[in-house]
Amino acid sequence: MFKAQHSSTVDINGRAVEVTWTRAAQRSLMQRPGDLYVELELYFSCLVKKFLHFRDVPRGALPAARVADRLYVYLRPVTSTACSPQEAHALGRQPEAEIEAPQAMRLAPKKVVIDCRDGVWSGEFFM
């Protein structure tokens, strides 16, 4: 687990979410030319999976919560649209679609942890 040095609490879908990040992540943030958007992907298919994606711009129209200068997070619930081994092989995973059901708009993680080592962003989130 990362040794977090910085933290902030943000609102995602009406719930308080603790976001922590390391000193190394803070240094990397300040060296970036622009903002960093951390997409917390909750992927519903055969199993529920969690992925973190680090982006220069947010994906989709979901609101991003400002954590700190240059750092934003947002939750993106998605589901698979097909179960084809050929498509999964071609795409690296099943094709997806955002879940827009009201129940999905009530989901929020409890905590997000972010790190950056040797220019590679990593982290995890906890539901």
Side-chain angles (χ1 to χ4, degrees):
M1 183 53 78
F2 311 117
K3 184 173 180 187
Q5 298 293 324
H6 303 273
S7 73
S8 182
T9 301
V10 298
D11 180 279
I12 295 178
N13 292 334
R15 296 181 186 219
V17 178
E18 179 186 4
V19 180
T20 61
W21 61 103
T22 63
R23 249 186 244 165
Q26 180 65 29
R27 279 193 304 274
S28 293
L29 277 172
M30 293 302 100
Q31 294 171 357
R32 287 180 57 81
D35 296 334
L36 177 67
Y37 290 87
V38 182
E39 177 183 305
L40 313 171
E41 182 185 63
L42 195 54
Y43 182 66
F44 294 90
S45 64
C46 301
L47 299 171
V48 178
K49 300 172 190 163
K50 300 181 298 180
F51 299 100
L52 259 72
H53 304 284
F54 298 89
R55 304 189 184 284
D56 293 330
V57 294
R59 189 169 164 192
L62 296 168
R66 184 179 185 276
V67 176
D69 189 32
R70 298 186 180 181
L71 180 61
Y72 297 82
V73 297
Y74 64 100
L75 181 69
R76 185 171 175 260
V78 298
T79 187
S80 57
T81 59
C83 287
S84 161
Q86 293 81 10
E87 283 188 79
H89 180 71
L91 296 173
R93 63 190 276 171
Q94 297 295 339
E96 65 187 42
E98 288 186 12
I99 300 173
E100 297 177 1
Q103 297 86 341
M105 297 302 111
R106 291 194 298 261
L107 295 171
K110 294 180 186 334
K111 184 174 184 174
V112 180
V113 180
I114 301 167
D115 191 20
C116 186
R117 298 286 175 189
D118 299 321
V120 178
W121 291 95
S122 62
E124 57 188 309
F125 65 99
F126 306 90
M127 295 301 287

